[in-house]
Amino acid sequence: MRPRVLVAGIGNIFLSDDGFGVEVIKELEGTELPEWVQIADYGIAGMHLAYDLLGGYDTTILLDATPHGKPPGTLSLIEADVDDLAASASIDAHGMQPEAVFRLLRLLGGDAGRVLIVGCEPACLEEGIGLSPEVTGAIPAAVRAVTELAWGTSPALPAKTPPAKETTEV
């Protein structure tokens, strides 16, 4: 059976809390997930992610630091509008900006399926290795959210906000 769900940890471990997605993937490696779920640490390798998405997935779950002005460590579940992301005008082959990844994927004729982002509000994005205590504390809840999404259940979320780029705290 080919994986139907890709869980992708993204971020730069040399920029403090930007390494959130990579750290969540490390925790997920010891978690029992369905056989249709593939997990991978992409770090800042946007091109690698775009090419892997060519394999076709029903759902792509991105794990990333996502600043929204909330308290550090706050988790959000965002359903991305892939058409908006792919409309970006440029591609940076060395970057990990989701816009560039999805534009490249579209140019290559691929489809990421439904794209969900489990994001964490960072405390610090300055040079340095290691997560802040607030972001480290959010990792278990992020693992639970991904596990629930992978098994096809909805994470325990508060009331939903209006559609379009939906953001819900986890």
Side-chain angles (χ1 to χ4, degrees):
M1 167 181 270
R2 86 173 164 83
R4 297 186 330 224
V5 176
L6 174 63
V7 180
I10 59 178
N12 187 337
I13 63 167
F14 298 111
L15 295 176
S16 304
D17 289 340
D18 196 45
F20 167 77
V22 174
E23 294 301 320
V24 175
I25 289 295
K26 287 180 184 176
E27 289 295 315
L28 284 168
E29 289 173 346
T31 303
E32 184 177 336
L33 293 169
E35 64 184 36
W36 62 84
V37 176
Q38 176 182 337
I39 63 172
D41 168 6
Y42 289 94
I44 58 170
M47 291 286 285
H48 185 162
L49 174 58
Y51 282 110
D52 281 358
L53 286 170
L54 285 173
Y57 292 92
D58 298 328
T59 302
T60 300
I61 301 171
L62 301 177
L63 304 167
D64 197 9
T66 54
H68 293 294
K70 306 247 184 205
T74 301
L75 293 178
S76 298
L77 177 62
I78 304 160
E79 182 155 0
D81 182 337
V82 180
D83 290 332
D84 279 353
L85 289 174
S88 173
S90 65
I91 296 175
D92 175 5
H94 302 287
M96 189 56 227
Q97 297 301 320
E99 297 86 0
V101 171
F102 291 107
R103 179 154 174 80
L104 177 60
L105 180 62
R106 173 152 302 152
L107 289 171
L108 295 171
D111 178 15
R114 181 179 184 205
V115 177
L116 302 171
I117 302 168
V118 175
C120 184
E121 183 72 36
C124 175
L125 294 174
E126 295 177 9
E127 286 185 23
I129 296 176
L131 303 178
S132 66
E134 299 91 344
V135 172
T136 298
I139 291 174
V143 168
R144 278 192 307 278
V146 169
T147 302
E148 291 172 6
L149 289 167
W151 282 103
T153 59
S154 296
L157 301 173
K160 298 202 178 227
T161 56
K165 296 180 181 170
E166 188 171 308
T167 301
T168 306
E169 288 183 25
V170 179

